[in-house]
Amino acid sequence: MPSEKALEQKKQIVADLADRIQGSVAGIIVDYKGISVEDDTKLRKELREADVKYTVVKNTLIKRAAEKAGLEGIDDVLNGTSAIATSENDYVAAARILQKFADSHDSFTVKTGYLDNKVISLEMVQSLAKLPSREVLLANVLGAFNAPIASFARAVQAIVDKSGEAPAEEAAEA
């Protein structure tokens, strides 16, 4: 039987992980077995740069934290080795990074994920992974907003250039 100290540590891990799950907009659970230390270090660095928290956790602790956070339907994938990646503000970063890593490493697999505290299918995780980053999406939206304004400015400039002289010069000569 575990000591009182070990039990308290596990309770704290479950509480912290439950808070992390509740405070995140998206999360991915992976089977991380069979990757080298070098690959794991690169993966963790990329996740950290994207502001994604990645932790290797025992399945029973993930299960209890998910139950405490109100995340249902995750139990069936909690076998073997498991790690959880969570993001507080980016819906696609964890899925994109981990799916790309899984595609290039045979033994590393994505098990499942969740969005806004609802479990999603593996197919949905793979679809999320194909979406561009938040910055790219915002740049596309801003480009779409900017296009009509830029077209109007070019049209006005073309009218001025076609008239030969600027209107201010004509008024000064009169």
Side-chain angles (χ1 to χ4, degrees):
M1 182 156 167
S3 70
E4 230 12 78
K5 185 177 179 182
L7 195 56
E8 287 302 316
Q9 287 175 336
K10 288 180 181 183
K11 285 181 181 178
Q12 187 60 46
I13 291 170
V14 168
D16 292 345
L17 187 56
D19 289 345
R20 202 169 111 193
I21 290 170
Q22 285 178 326
S24 64
V25 294
I28 304 293
I29 296 178
V30 297
D31 184 350
Y32 67 90
K33 71 176 177 240
I35 62 172
S36 68
V37 173
E38 181 181 353
D39 287 342
D40 186 50
T41 302
K42 288 178 186 175
L43 175 63
R44 287 175 184 267
K45 181 179 185 281
E46 189 175 356
L47 289 166
R48 222 178 4 261
E49 288 171 353
D51 201 25
V52 175
K53 295 178 182 172
Y54 177 80
T55 313
V56 173
V57 185
K58 289 185 175 190
N59 290 323
T60 55
L61 300 180
I62 294 174
K63 180 181 176 183
R64 289 194 176 129
E67 287 171 359
K68 187 173 182 177
L71 187 63
E72 297 176 11
I74 209 166
D75 299 352
D76 53 335
V77 299
L78 294 177
N79 50 46
T81 56
S82 297
I84 185 167
T86 58
S87 177
E88 293 179 1
N89 52 20
D90 192 337
Y91 285 89
V92 299
R96 188 179 62 252
I97 293 167
L98 292 169
Q99 187 62 52
K100 181 179 81 172
F101 191 83
D103 290 343
S104 62
H105 295 81
D106 293 335
S107 58
F108 187 93
T109 57
V110 174
K111 293 181 176 183
T112 191
Y114 67 90
L115 292 176
D116 292 328
N117 224 22
K118 295 205 180 356
V119 176
I120 58 174
S121 68
L122 186 57
E123 292 79 24
M124 182 72 142
V125 172
Q126 292 167 343
S127 295
L128 276 175
K130 293 176 185 170
L131 290 175
S133 70
R134 182 176 188 269
E135 291 76 23
V136 171
L137 288 173
L138 286 174
N140 289 342
V141 168
L142 290 176
F145 284 142
N146 196 23
I149 297 168
S151 295
F152 177 72
R154 283 191 295 273
V156 170
Q157 186 63 44
I159 292 170
V160 169
D161 291 345
K162 197 173 200 179
S163 70
E165 291 184 9
E169 292 174 2
E170 290 176 12
E173 290 176 6

